[in-house]
Amino acid sequence: MSALKTETPSATGEGKNPIQVIERMMKLLDVLAQHADPVPLKQLSLETGLHPSTAHRILGAMSQSGFVERSEAGVYRLGIRLLELGSLVKSRISLRDTAMPYMVKLHAATGESVNLGIRAGDEIVYVERTSSGRSSVRVVHIVGARAPLHTTATGKLFLVDDGLEQIRDYARRTGLPASTPASITTMAALEKELDRVRRHGVAFDLDEVESGVRCIAAGIRDNNGALIAGLSLSTPSERFNPDWAPVVRQTADEISRALGYAGARH
């Protein structure tokens, strides 16, 4: 359908074609982005080719989610949620760009795989990796891979940062499923493990995500002191060396400082 053709209400079909609804949402966002001042519904309808009732319903849904703001005068502008998401994307791009030289340095010092992981709900997502090329076993920490918080070294860092009440909520919510026979599956064992992480400032995954793979992780904080990622070193179990923990923590601290963090180690 041409962007200039005005639809009839019967042609909107929001509930029948989700892809079409998304396309219309994007049209509205694009038009709003082109205007520095708030835009009335009539103008949005004209510039997008959407029927006013269609535009009104979609804008209402976007307003509830914070993607669009509607004033009392009935005009619309981009919402604060877009700023939040944009800042998040920017911080992650900055994180990866900032971390990579330090990851390469750690990789060169150890000869092992170095991973950068961020939290996504109840999981860790690996967003960057330097591969060792030496591993005789498959290492699970590949870019885009996901694993539960309680089985990963990086995930344990985030759980410690959450505090006890949220840790218990996580345990109830997920049931602490096992990935391997070595995985932690009880709240008592998890609390004991996280206490060690809290005291030492590093976390370990000892065959807990994948049998035959071990990992050491330390946290990366931004300029506000928020834990935003974990730097981890993963190795086949037969080459695992816990003495690498200080250099992993030091490297994570260097990345944190490069991101503007000036506080004490956590």
Side-chain angles (χ1 to χ4, degrees):
M1 180 179 293
S2 170
L4 298 178
K5 184 177 179 181
T6 301
E7 303 166 22
T8 62
S10 62
T12 59
E14 284 91 352
K16 298 179 180 179
N17 192 336
I19 299 300
Q20 191 176 52
V21 175
I22 293 171
E23 290 174 349
R24 292 169 177 173
M25 288 175 61
M26 297 309 299
K27 280 184 182 180
L28 289 163
L29 290 175
D30 286 341
V31 170
L32 287 170
Q34 293 169 14
H35 293 273
D37 298 321
V39 186
L41 176 62
K42 183 177 180 180
Q43 185 175 351
L44 287 170
S45 173
L46 179 64
E47 294 190 28
T48 60
L50 298 175
H51 191 277
S53 63
T54 301
H56 184 264
R57 281 192 289 270
I58 296 175
L59 288 165
M62 289 196 291
S63 296
Q64 291 179 359
S65 301
F67 290 102
V68 168
E69 292 180 2
R70 182 182 185 275
S71 73
E72 293 181 0
V75 293
Y76 297 86
R77 64 181 179 181
L78 297 178
I80 193 68
R81 180 63 178 151
L82 292 171
L83 177 62
E84 294 170 351
L85 292 175
S87 297
L88 182 61
V89 171
K90 182 180 178 181
S91 70
R92 288 180 179 174
I93 292 173
S94 175
L95 168 65
R96 293 170 72 171
D97 291 344
T98 301
M100 182 51 70
Y102 298 94
M103 294 173 65
V104 170
K105 181 181 176 182
L106 179 59
H107 167 75
T110 62
E112 302 294 351
S113 298
V114 180
N115 317 288
L116 185 66
I118 61 173
R119 183 174 186 171
D122 291 337
E123 296 178 310
I124 292 298
V125 180
Y126 295 94
V127 296
E128 197 58 85
R129 182 183 184 223
T130 64
S131 180
S132 72
R134 295 175 51 194
S135 177
S136 59
V137 299
R138 182 174 62 88
V139 176
V140 73
H141 302 151
I142 59 175
V143 173
R146 292 172 174 261
L149 297 177
H150 68 286
T151 61
T152 60
T154 292
K156 292 172 187 177
L157 298 169
F158 279 95
L159 287 173
V160 166
D161 207 61
D162 278 349
L164 184 58
E165 193 57 41
Q166 290 188 58
I167 293 168
R168 289 174 176 168
D169 286 343
Y170 167 82
R172 286 192 291 267
R173 185 168 62 249
T174 65
L176 302 179
S179 300
T180 72
S183 298
I184 292 172
T185 58
T186 68
M187 186 62 197
L190 182 60
E191 287 187 18
K192 185 176 180 180
E193 174 72 3
L194 296 181
D195 183 60
R196 282 194 291 266
V197 175
R198 189 178 297 108
R199 287 185 283 109
H200 296 293
V202 293
F204 294 90
D205 154 19
L206 304 179
D207 301 270
E208 297 167 57
V209 174
E210 183 176 3
S211 296
V213 178
R214 297 190 173 189
C215 190
I216 308 169
I220 296 172
R221 294 182 180 270
D222 65 12
N223 60 308
N224 296 314
L227 180 64
I228 58 171
L231 178 77
S232 60
L233 186 75
S234 55
T235 76
S237 297
E238 66 269 17
R239 289 207 305 267
F240 177 73
N241 184 354
D243 292 338
W244 279 327
V247 71
V248 173
R249 185 172 56 197
Q250 179 183 344
T251 304
D253 287 344
E254 289 173 350
I255 297 171
S256 296
R257 286 193 292 271
L259 291 169
Y261 178 61
R265 283 179 179 166
H266 288 249

